[in-house]
Amino acid sequence: PKDLSDELIETMKNSKKICSHLHLPLQSGSSEILKRMNRKYSKEQYLALVEKLRAAMPDISLTTDIIVGFPGETEEDFEETMDVVRKVRFDSAFTFIYSVRRGTPAAAMEQVPEDVVKNRFDRLLKEVQDIAAEVVKRHEVTVQKVLVEEIDTHEAGFVTGRLSNNTVVHFAGDASLIGKIVDVSLDEAKGFYYMGSLVK
């Protein structure tokens, strides 16, 4: 977040060649924890950045990284993270439990009890998944351009592709579609992805 300039936002907004997706690592919603992590931004700066991005590109998809249980994290700190998750409404988030790395400053800090971290992680994961399921639905029952990437590994006779906002779509098709941009009807949102059908 500290490196995302107004110029880059403007470039993304005006370019026809840049996808409308950005991975913007949060790590923690607590400014105090961010300081301990040696991150050069605060909760307020992060939220202001998201506001700028959404003003420039209302349809942008945002994903993130979040660490739970960093040394010294209190319940209040964790609630600050949950607050950011609720305000930003990420399309998805990679969530991690903090693990001690020997030789780092954090390894010498007071660690959060394992059961507390696990409880917070489960609460965060549920919140992220519930919000993502709602957010992804925004294009349900519309026709969108999909870049076909590969043969679907789970469903025979299906291919997998992505929307411009990086959301995955599975639909019936064959290897001849790989590398092409095709119109797909997004029939059903399934949490983090869509089941669709090729528009001929």
Side-chain angles (χ1 to χ4, degrees), residues 34-45:
L34 288 170
K35 205 183 290 176
R36 285 182 185 209
M37 288 177 167
N38 204 21
R39 305 277 163 186
K40 305 296 184 200
Y41 55 91
S42 66
K43 172 187 179 177
E44 293 68 30
Q45 286 168 319

Side-chain angles (χ1 to χ4, degrees), residues 100-114:
V100 179
R101 292 222 176 104
R102 282 211 318 255
T104 61
M109 296 176 190
E110 190 182 339
Q111 305 299 312
V112 181
E114 211 174 297

Side-chain angles (χ1 to χ4, degrees), residues 81-195:
T81 297
M82 293 288 268
D83 183 51
V84 175
V85 166
R86 290 178 188 124
K87 282 178 175 156
V88 176
R89 296 179 62 77
F90 297 103
D91 285 61
S92 74
F94 298 97
T95 51
F96 305 93
I97 287 176
Y98 167 80
S99 57
V100 179
R101 292 222 176 104
R102 282 211 318 255
T104 61
M109 296 176 190
E110 190 182 339
Q111 305 299 312
V112 181
E114 211 174 297
D115 59 330
V116 174
V117 176
K118 176 81 174 81
N119 173 271
R120 287 178 189 164
F121 182 78
D122 291 345
R123 283 156 58 202
L124 173 69
L125 198 58
K126 184 180 185 326
E127 194 70 24
V128 162
Q129 288 174 340
D130 289 351
I131 290 170
E134 290 169 24
V135 170
V136 166
K137 270 190 166 158
R138 68 189 180 275
H139 295 302
E140 197 172 42
V141 301
T142 66
V143 173
Q144 300 288 334
K145 301 270 181 215
V146 173
L147 170 62
V148 185
E149 293 186 320
E150 60 189 0
I151 295 291
D152 192 320
T153 51
H154 301 292
E155 189 88 37
F158 275 60
V159 290
T160 297
R162 284 176 197 270
L163 301 177
S164 171
N165 69 8
N166 204 36
T167 306
V168 170
V169 184
H170 304 284
F171 60 98
D174 58 41
S176 69
L177 295 174
I178 294 172
K180 292 181 179 157
I181 295 175
V182 295
D183 288 330
V184 176
S185 167
L186 306 179
D187 304 326
E188 192 183 357
K190 297 270 205 177
F192 292 111
Y193 65 92
Y194 284 104
M195 296 306 295

Side-chain angles (χ1 to χ4, degrees), residues 6-20:
D6 290 352
E7 187 187 2
L8 179 58
I9 294 172
E10 204 53 31
T11 302
M12 284 183 73
K13 175 188 168 181
N14 296 323
S15 174
K16 297 274 180 275
K17 297 181 178 183
I18 300 173
C19 289
S20 59

